[in-house]
Amino acid sequence: MIAAKALVLFSGGQDSTVCLAWALTRFAGVETVGFDYGQRHASELAARPRLLKGLMAAFPEWAGKLGPDHLLPLDTLKAIGGSALTEKMAIAMGEHGLPNTFVPGRNVMFLTAAAALGYRRGIADLVGGMCETDYSGYPDCRDQTIQATAKALSLGLAEDIRIHTPLMWIDKAASWALAGELGGQALLDLVVEESVTCYEGDRSRRHDWGYGCGECPACKLRADGYAKFRAAA
Ligand code: ZN
């Protein structure tokens, strides 16, 4: 059964773009939400409108389903600071055995804000690109965290909130393959050209897997996944 409407957490990265395509094949209507949390590099947020425009141009059948795009400020995370994603510092191992790219509370905060927006929009199905398979050890990407958050939000809103994470159990290579299944070469091209994964927000260097510094952990994960995907294709 096709559920009525979904709200996709859409950052402008590879994972959330694949999630958006996934939602467009499963829901009658799809809205998107992005968060400005004071990330150092605006290139991810800047990619969002380009990706939405590209999706509508390449997939007319999806264009009719795409509803409003929302952008919410969550600069509390920047005010708290301490992360290489919100402050100028080298990427390194940080406290608690986690890389300093970890932004504590981010996904729980994103999901809470998305659920609140969904409440106003009449949407109880949220879609996010969290993934446990080849993540950087972020505890808020774990399925247990997501499911517990869905439960807390359902109780807190007195609504049945469902959080869909289509990438949770697949690796980056399988994520590229999923993009191909959902939207063929046109979607793969769009993800390569327009989605931003790089922690440094680098748009100056073009690789076969897209733009990025090629050195940061996020670029390496994307590049390795793409190579594995191409080798299997
Ligand atoms: Zn990079």
Side-chain angles (χ1 to χ4, degrees):
M1 191 188 81
I2 288 204
K5 258 180 157 189
L7 178 62
V8 178
L9 282 74
F10 180 55
S11 68
Q14 174 187 347
D15 293 341
S16 69
T17 304
V18 177
C19 284
L20 177 54
W22 180 89
L24 285 163
T25 61
R26 278 164 178 79
F27 292 87
V30 176
E31 297 188 12
T32 44
V33 61
F35 301 101
D36 185 350
Y37 64 94
Q39 52 270 64
R40 274 205 299 137
H41 302 291
S43 57
E44 209 184 36
L45 286 180
R48 301 174 72 258
R50 291 200 309 267
L51 282 159
L52 289 171
K53 209 175 147 193
L55 275 177
M56 288 200 270
F59 303 95
E61 70 278 23
W62 290 353
K65 292 183 173 189
L66 257 180
D69 176 41
H70 312 270
L71 187 65
L72 298 177
L74 279 180
D75 45 11
T76 305
L77 291 170
K78 179 161 176 74
I80 293 168
S83 165
L85 296 194
T86 55
E87 282 165 62
K88 195 166 169 51
M89 57 169 85
I91 296 171
M93 277 312 279
E95 293 168 10
H96 312 286
L98 290 168
N100 61 3
T101 47
F102 179 57
V103 181
R106 183 172 60 168
N107 279 343
V108 174
M109 213 179 267
F110 283 4
L111 288 166
T112 304
L117 175 66
Y119 187 89
R120 292 289 178 224
R121 307 286 308 161
I123 304 175
D125 287 90
L126 310 178
V127 182
M130 300 82 178
C131 171
E132 207 177 283
T133 308
D134 52 9
Y135 69 155
S136 305
Y138 300 158
D140 61 344
C141 290
R142 290 180 296 186
D143 189 51
Q144 257 192 313
T145 306
I146 305 303
Q147 294 317 318
T149 303
K151 194 169 181 188
L153 289 169
S154 297
L155 287 166
L157 296 173
E159 294 262 350
D160 186 16
I161 304 297
R162 292 167 294 273
I163 303 176
H164 307 268
T165 53
L167 309 184
M168 182 58 75
W169 306 112
I170 66 175
D171 66 9
K172 271 276 193 272
S175 179
W176 282 108
L178 179 59
E181 284 164 32
L182 292 168
Q185 193 59 44
L187 185 58
L188 286 168
D189 289 346
L190 191 65
V191 171
V192 166
E193 288 304 325
E194 301 295 0
S195 74
V196 176
T197 300
C198 179
Y199 281 152
E200 302 295 339
D202 190 322
R203 284 283 295 169
S204 67
R205 273 168 280 186
R206 169 71 156 79
H207 315 262
D208 57 349
W209 45 267
Y211 291 90
C213 72
E215 300 295 330
C216 74
C219 276
K220 282 188 177 146
L221 205 55
R222 175 164 163 152
D224 289 351
Y226 189 77
K228 194 175 148 199
F229 160 65
R230 297 305 297 179

